[in-house]
Amino acid sequence: MPIAPYDIYTQSELTPTMFPERMLKASLPVAANQHMAKGTVVGLVTSSAVSDVQTLTQASATGGTFTITFGFGTVYTTSPIAYNASAATVQTALQSLPNIGSGNVACSGGALGSAGVVCTFAGALANQPQPVFAINNTALTGSGAAVTVAHTTPGVANGMLEPYVSSNSDGSQTPVGILAVEVFTDTQGNVTYGPLPVGNGFGSIRHVAPIAISGYFNTSDLTGLDSNAVSKLGRLIDGTTSSGVLCVTGA
């Protein structure tokens, strides 16, 4: 009996504008919670790894509940949490979410209304940037009642790819190549080639993505290219950063 593939692989690679045989690629891991288009100029984070920390604070509530929604692309929402919940209660609610799971967040402090609840990502979600919690306060009671979230410490993913931005200071301000396919990563950094976390060809989930480190490319096919990236990646052999041809040397 023939075995049908899990899905149909339709992702296309970045196409060199000339001399396709000179395109060279490398495969590198990608930071969590990214959706990058094919052709995105990418950098490698070199700052020390840091786990993401978010702090919940409750003010003015006299009763009721709130919920926390978490995720990137696919999001999940907790069951209702009491306005004066302990850190342990918040932790249990967060760990029940499919995209967090047991052992992947630790909550301390509290209880809400008396002190902030500090939520530190751990386990499989440690040392990665994470989406900020979205809070729904509509079921709280009390004038001005609200639970708010402060992004106390943004996560840092050492050795992972992120979009190149010249003003960054974590290492991604230095471009290392051009993303060869569209990439989506989930909260754990699992890589899907395509816009949604539904698996690649034959349902596979990868942990690395291909980047072009040498070749000739139309600048109109690239995202994030600026004059600084041109000088670091290679040189323009025609036109401009928005309409021309870039030679990536792989130096």
Side-chain angles (χ1 to χ4, degrees):
M1 179 178 178
I3 299 175
Y6 177 84
D7 59 10
I8 298 174
Y9 183 71
T10 59
Q11 176 70 207
S12 60
E13 285 198 343
L14 180 68
T15 303
T17 187
M18 57 186 182
F19 307 123
E21 70 279 2
R22 297 185 183 179
M23 177 180 175
L24 297 177
K25 293 183 292 183
S27 293
L28 292 170
V30 185
N33 306 299
Q34 303 291 323
H35 180 198
M36 295 185 284
K38 173 178 62 180
T40 298
V41 179
V42 290
L44 196 66
V45 176
T46 57
S47 295
S48 298
V50 176
S51 290
D52 203 274
V53 181
Q54 302 180 34
T55 301
L56 300 173
T57 305
Q58 184 264 95
S60 302
T62 57
T65 61
F66 68 98
T67 60
I68 302 172
T69 298
F70 174 76
F72 177 79
T74 301
V75 300
Y76 296 93
T77 300
T78 65
S79 56
I81 303 169
Y83 75 102
N84 58 351
S86 67
T89 298
V90 174
Q91 178 175 300
T92 297
L94 290 172
Q95 290 191 0
S96 70
L97 298 180
N99 56 350
I100 293 184
S102 178
N104 293 329
V105 68
C107 298
S108 60
L112 287 171
S114 300
V117 171
V118 180
C119 306
T120 303
F121 287 90
L125 303 188
N127 301 326
Q128 295 272 12
Q130 297 296 342
V132 178
F133 297 141
I135 311 297
N136 185 326
N137 289 313
T138 55
L140 290 175
T141 60
S143 178
V147 172
T148 57
V149 58
H151 201 182
T152 316
T153 306
V156 177
N158 175 264
M160 305 286 187
L161 292 174
E162 289 186 356
Y164 154 79
V165 179
S166 61
S167 60
N168 284 352
S169 59
D170 61 0
S172 60
Q173 72 273 15
T174 301
V176 296
I178 300 166
L179 197 63
V181 295
E182 184 180 15
V183 162
F184 182 103
T185 57
D186 64 14
T187 54
Q188 297 187 31
N190 295 314
V191 177
T192 297
Y193 295 173
L196 295 172
V198 295
N200 301 291
F202 300 95
S204 60
I205 293 291
R206 296 168 170 83
H207 299 283
V208 296
I211 63 169
I213 57 174
S214 181
Y216 295 86
F217 304 97
N218 283 320
T219 58
S220 59
D221 292 335
L222 309 182
T223 299
L225 186 69
D226 59 16
S227 58
N228 178 67
V230 168
S231 66
K232 297 291 177 57
L233 291 171
R235 60 188 175 89
L236 279 175
I237 62 174
D238 179 65
T240 66
T241 56
S242 59
S243 179
V245 177
L246 173 70
C247 172
V248 179
T249 62

